[in-house]
Amino acid sequence: MQTTAMDTSMTSVWQEPVIINGMSLPAGPDCEPEQMRELAYGELLRQQAVRLGLLPEVSGVHASLAPELDEQAVDVIDTMLESEVRTPEPSDKACRRYYEANRARYVVDQSVHLRHILFAVTPRVDVTALAGRAEEVLLSLTTAEKSSADFSEVAKTMSNCPSGQKGGDLGWVTPNDCVPELAQWLFYSPDVQVAPGLHPRLVHTRFGLHIVEILERKPGKQLSFEEVSSAVKHQLHQKSRATALKQYMMLLVGQADVQGIELEGADTPLVQD
C-alpha cells in the first residue's frame, strides 16, 4: 500500500564547523545533518586507514582540512574493514532458532484482499485531533447497523489515499506491496492470522492512521527450514556484519576528539566482544 502522503520530516542545514581529531570537514553551506554525519564517519575511517599505514597523511597547506574521499581511498577503506571487522558465521543452531522465531517470514504466495481509509499525517496537521477523528470514524463503522456500503462511502469522502475513489479497495496485496509497518501487521506479527473483517484498532504507518478491513486472506505455503536454510544463514550473516560494523564505528568515535557534531561512540574496547 504505497501511498503518496507527504514526508513529515523537516531537514535543516548544518551551521557549525565539524572537527575530527583536529581535521576540519569540507562541508558546503547546504550540507544537511545526515550528510554531515556521513562525512564525519568517512573521516574517522580515513584516519584509521592512515594510522594503519594504508593511506598517506595529509600534508602541506591543507594539513588541517579533511580531504574528500576519492574512489581509490574508498576501496582502501573497504579492504581495511574486511580485514579489521570480525563477522562470525552463524551456526546451524542459531539459524534454526531464528527460523522458528520468524516462521511467518518464510511463507510464499500469501496475500490479503483489503480496503482501508487513510487519515494522512502531514507537516502541519494536529496529530491528536486527527487520531481522535479517525477513532470516531472507526467506532461508527463498528456499529451493528453499518454495512459494507458505509465503509465504501466513508472511504470516498474521507480517505487521503487515491484508493478512496474505489471505496478504499486495494485489491489483493502481498508483503512486498505494503509499507513495512503494514506488512508487519498483516503478515509477520504473532497474531498473523488476523481474521477477515474490520480491524478494531487503527493501524499506524509512516503515512498516517489507517482503518483497515480484511476481506479475504490466502495463507500461502510455509517453507521448511531445509528449503530456506541458506537464505536464513545469509540474513543472519548480514545482521551480524551490520552489528560488527556499527560497533567498530562506535570504537572509533569513542577514541576520537569529535567537535561540532554528536556521534554515537563507545569508550571501551570490549564492545566488539
Side-chain angles (χ1 to χ4, degrees), residues 28-86:
D30 297 327
C31 191
E32 296 176 355
E34 195 55 40
Q35 293 173 298
M36 183 60 77
R37 289 188 188 90
E38 289 180 9
L39 288 173
Y41 286 125
E43 175 57 15
L44 284 166
L45 289 169
R46 185 197 68 81
Q47 291 184 19
Q48 177 69 355
V50 170
R51 282 191 290 272
L52 295 175
L54 303 174
L55 287 175
E57 294 269 9
V58 179
S59 59
V61 295
H62 300 298
S64 62
L65 181 65
E68 294 187 21
L69 297 178
D70 57 22
E71 186 175 342
Q72 182 179 4
V74 170
D75 288 342
V76 168
I77 289 172
D78 286 342
T79 302
M80 176 189 72
L81 290 174
E82 287 297 322
S83 173
E84 289 274 290
V85 180
R86 303 189 302 272

Side-chain angles (χ1 to χ4, degrees), residues 140-186:
S140 74
L141 290 173
T142 59
T143 57
E145 64 271 17
K146 290 293 181 179
S147 67
S148 177
D150 292 308
F151 190 106
S152 179
E153 287 304 312
V154 172
K156 289 178 181 178
T157 58
M158 302 195 69
S159 182
N160 298 128
C161 177
S163 67
Q165 297 308 306
K166 298 185 294 182
D169 196 335
L170 292 165
W172 287 93
V173 299
T174 69
N176 293 331
D177 298 325
C178 308
V179 292
E181 304 94 329
L182 188 59
Q184 175 66 33
W185 175 72
L186 283 172

Side-chain angles (χ1 to χ4, degrees), residues 53-267:
L54 303 174
L55 287 175
E57 294 269 9
V58 179
S59 59
V61 295
H62 300 298
S64 62
L65 181 65
E68 294 187 21
L69 297 178
D70 57 22
E71 186 175 342
Q72 182 179 4
V74 170
D75 288 342
V76 168
I77 289 172
D78 286 342
T79 302
M80 176 189 72
L81 290 174
E82 287 297 322
S83 173
E84 289 274 290
V85 180
R86 303 189 302 272
T87 309
E89 287 294 327
S91 67
D92 289 341
K93 184 177 180 180
C95 290
R96 187 174 288 277
R97 186 168 58 246
Y98 182 84
Y99 167 80
E100 292 296 340
N102 297 274
R103 290 174 63 90
R105 292 190 173 273
Y106 300 103
V107 175
V108 294
D109 300 327
Q110 60 180 326
S111 59
V112 294
H113 181 195
L114 75 159
R115 57 183 181 175
H116 80 141
I117 300 168
L118 170 64
F119 295 82
V121 174
T122 55
R124 288 173 291 278
V125 72
D126 182 336
V127 178
T128 301
L130 183 73
R133 179 59 178 145
E135 290 283 4
E136 289 177 1
V137 174
L138 175 58
L139 182 61
S140 74
L141 290 173
T142 59
T143 57
E145 64 271 17
K146 290 293 181 179
S147 67
S148 177
D150 292 308
F151 190 106
S152 179
E153 287 304 312
V154 172
K156 289 178 181 178
T157 58
M158 302 195 69
S159 182
N160 298 128
C161 177
S163 67
Q165 297 308 306
K166 298 185 294 182
D169 196 335
L170 292 165
W172 287 93
V173 299
T174 69
N176 293 331
D177 298 325
C178 308
V179 292
E181 304 94 329
L182 188 59
Q184 175 66 33
W185 175 72
L186 283 172
F187 300 103
Y188 305 137
S189 62
D191 55 344
V192 65
Q193 298 301 328
V194 179
L198 183 67
H199 188 57
R201 295 185 298 276
L202 297 174
V203 178
H204 296 240
T205 75
R206 67 195 63 185
F207 295 115
L209 310 171
H210 307 254
I211 296 174
V212 177
E213 182 178 21
I214 296 177
L215 302 176
E216 297 177 81
R217 177 185 289 275
K218 294 178 183 177
K221 174 193 173 185
Q222 176 72 58
L223 298 177
S224 69
F225 174 73
E226 289 70 26
E227 290 176 290
V228 298
S229 58
S230 16
V232 171
K233 187 172 186 177
H234 175 73
Q235 188 169 10
L236 285 185
H237 178 81
Q238 292 297 99
K239 286 177 176 288
S240 179
R241 181 67 177 169
T243 299
L245 287 170
K246 180 180 179 180
Q247 292 175 339
Y248 186 76
M249 291 307 308
M250 288 174 65
L251 283 173
L252 294 185
V253 173
Q255 296 164 359
D257 177 14
V258 180
Q259 302 175 32
I261 192 170
E262 287 289 333
L263 299 175
E264 183 181 7
D267 56 5

